[in-house]
């Protein structure tokens, strides 16, 4: 079963096939209205469940559109409205959904929920964000980097900010796509221990971005973080804001990424987000193309 649960759980050759496939499909569709069906229809007659236990703009719209372009149909389900939120086990939910749909995409809190869904489903399951990782986002980000700068292998990527779920998928990708990853942020917000050895640490953000080909950040308070931590995190992370001064210490042609949604002028200034280094809206677009290639791989196309 081709579940897409995490980048480090997927073969490097398959990941490469997904990125290259995504670029080819994007190219083939260029200039067409968004609702135009793709030339081939790998999801023809397929029903796809999109389950959300957290809010979403990009993931929801890009998966829904992608399925339609590939000839399939979607059901968008909110976790709280399903029996999932009222005590039915994940295992039973997985077995039931497998009788109705051909593919399950899930955004949830605990990783364990996703893993149980995959264990008990008879159809492929895709991780569209847990508290621990966000692999679809980083597939889009690798694709975006390579569109602008060629192969990411051997390049220097610097993450400035919270060592969160999006960082974790960057760490997994650094191994699979063979790039160099540096984390810069305050010690209390270090990435989880399971990622040790996959990246370097440099506490000084200006030293960290020296020689960087790509600078990345994300929100200082994630959806699973308690709102009560907001003020403390802002104080801890203020020095790690990505602003024009910081970008000036990276390579002159360095790219800037943020998965969005952003809190402008907190983790990154509008000057950087809207400036010449920024590829944030290409990242958002490439969610569509990368996820289509992921779904194709899941159904064996
Ligand atoms: N980047 C991302 O996953 O955005 P949404 O939360 O809007 O889906
Ligand atoms: N780290 C963020 C990413 C949102 C796409 C969160 O988990 O809320």
């Amino acid at each position: 079963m081709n579940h897409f649960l995490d980048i480090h759980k997927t073969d490097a050759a398959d990941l490469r096939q997904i990125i290259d496939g995504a670029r080819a499909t994007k190219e083939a569709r260029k200039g067409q209205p968004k609702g135009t069906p793709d030339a081939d229809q790998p999801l023809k007659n397929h029903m796809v469940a999109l389950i959300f236990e957290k809010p979403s703009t990009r993931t929801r719209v890009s998966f829904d559109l992608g399925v339609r372009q590939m000839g399939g149909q979607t059901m968008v389900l909110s976790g709280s409205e399903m029996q999932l939120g009222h005590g039915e086990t994940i295992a039973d939910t997985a077995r039931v959904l497998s009788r109705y749909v051909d593919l399950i995409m899930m955004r949830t809190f605990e990783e364990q929920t996703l893993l149980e869904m995959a264990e008990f489903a008879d159809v492929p399951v895709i991780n569209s964000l847990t508290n621990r990782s966000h692999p679809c986002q980083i597939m889009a980000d690798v694709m975006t980097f390579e569109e602008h700068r060629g192969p990411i292998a051997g390049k220097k990527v610097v993450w400035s900010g919270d060592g969160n779920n999006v960082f974790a998928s960057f760490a997994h990708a650094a191994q699979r796509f063979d790039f160099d990853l540096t984390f810069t942020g305050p010690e209390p917000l270090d990435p989880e221990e399971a990622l040790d050895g996959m990246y370097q640490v440099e506490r000084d953000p200006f030293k960290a971005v020296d020689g960087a080909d790509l600078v990345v950040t994300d929100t200082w308070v994630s959806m699973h973080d308690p709102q009560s931590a907001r003020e403390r995190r802002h104080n801890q992370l203020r020095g790690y804001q990505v602003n024009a001064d910081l970008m000036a210490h990276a390579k002159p042609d360095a790219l800037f990424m943020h998965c969005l949604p952003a809190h402008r002028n907190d983790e990154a200034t509008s000057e950087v987000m809207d400036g010449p280094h920024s590829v944030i809206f290409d990242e958002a677009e490439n969610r569509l193309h990368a996820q289509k290639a992921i779904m194709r791989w899941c159904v064996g196309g």
Side-chain angles (χ1 to χ4, degrees), residues 55-60 107 134 137 223 259-261 287:
S56 166
T57 297
R58 279 142 289 268
T59 304
R60 178 179 168 153
R107 166 169 286 197
H134 196 2
Q137 178 67 52
M223 292 183 272
C259 67
L260 306 179
R287 291 292 303 280

Side-chain angles (χ1 to χ4, degrees), residues 109-124:
F109 288 87
E110 299 306 324
E111 180 186 50
Q112 193 51 34
T113 307
L114 174 86
L115 298 181
E116 261 178 70
M117 185 66 86
E119 184 181 350
F120 292 97
D122 299 323
V123 299

Side-chain angles (χ1 to χ4, degrees), residues 72-88:
Q73 296 181 62
T74 57
M75 289 177 192
V76 182
L77 306 165
S78 109
S80 59
E81 286 162 4
M82 297 168 69
Q83 298 291 7
L84 203 57
H86 301 96
E88 186 169 25

Side-chain angles (χ1 to χ4, degrees), residues 26-274:
K26 178 178 180 178
E27 189 57 36
R29 293 192 51 90
K30 236 184 193 134
Q32 294 181 19
K34 314 288 190 292
T36 311
D38 284 344
D40 61 339
Q41 299 275 279
L43 292 184
K44 186 163 188 257
N45 299 329
H46 283 59
M47 184 58 76
V48 182
L50 309 177
I51 305 174
F52 290 94
E53 295 198 287
K54 290 174 177 168
S56 166
T57 297
R58 279 142 289 268
T59 304
R60 178 179 168 153
V61 178
S62 59
F63 263 102
D64 200 337
L65 176 61
V67 171
R68 294 179 200 211
Q69 289 182 348
M70 293 164 83
Q73 296 181 62
T74 57
M75 289 177 192
V76 182
L77 306 165
S78 109
S80 59
E81 286 162 4
M82 297 168 69
Q83 298 291 7
L84 203 57
H86 301 96
E88 186 169 25
T89 66
I90 305 300
D92 286 348
T93 307
R95 289 184 278 231
V96 169
L97 286 178
S98 301
R99 304 289 177 105
Y100 299 138
V101 304
D102 304 293
L103 188 58
I104 298 170
M105 182 234 78
M106 187 169 207
R107 166 169 286 197
T108 187
F109 288 87
E110 299 306 324
E111 180 186 50
Q112 193 51 34
T113 307
L114 174 86
L115 298 181
E116 261 178 70
M117 185 66 86
E119 184 181 350
F120 292 97
D122 299 323
V123 299
V125 173
I126 296 174
N127 173 5
S128 66
L129 184 139
T130 70
N131 296 357
R132 287 189 79 187
S133 65
H134 196 2
C136 290
Q137 178 67 52
I138 279 46
M139 292 298 282
D141 291 353
V142 170
M143 175 182 173
T144 304
F145 184 90
E146 296 198 332
E147 274 181 344
H148 286 272
R149 295 286 182 265
I152 197 167
K155 298 291 197 232
K156 179 174 178 182
V157 177
V158 179
W159 177 278
S160 185
D162 179 24
N164 65 12
N165 47 0
V166 179
F167 174 82
S169 288
F170 259 108
H172 299 150
Q175 290 204 317
R176 283 291 192 259
F177 290 98
D178 203 22
F179 58 84
D180 187 80
L181 179 64
T182 298
F183 169 81
T184 185
E187 203 174 332
L189 299 176
D190 272 353
E192 60 165 312
E193 267 176 35
L195 302 171
D196 285 359
M198 298 183 189
Y199 63 93
Q200 283 111 54
V201 182
E202 168 53 65
R203 298 283 170 212
D204 179 340
F206 290 93
K207 282 189 194 154
V209 300
D210 181 41
D213 298 286
L214 168 63
V215 178
V216 195
T217 191
D218 185 14
T219 180
W220 288 343
V221 186
S222 283
M223 292 183 272
H224 59 274
D225 290 321
Q227 278 305 310
S228 56
R230 208 184 132 76
E231 200 182 323
R232 178 165 32 89
R233 280 170 168 263
H234 275 238
N235 290 331
Q236 288 168 318
L237 286 160
R238 213 178 305 283
Y240 294 93
Q241 182 192 66
V242 182
N243 50 37
D245 192 15
L246 188 66
M247 285 307 296
H249 285 72
K251 275 190 182 167
D253 68 344
L255 297 178
F256 167 74
M257 289 192 188
H258 188 313
C259 67
L260 306 179
H263 298 81
R264 283 175 174 260
N265 303 316
D266 284 348
E267 67 267 18
T269 58
S270 282
E271 189 182 3
V272 169
M273 291 181 63
D274 301 327

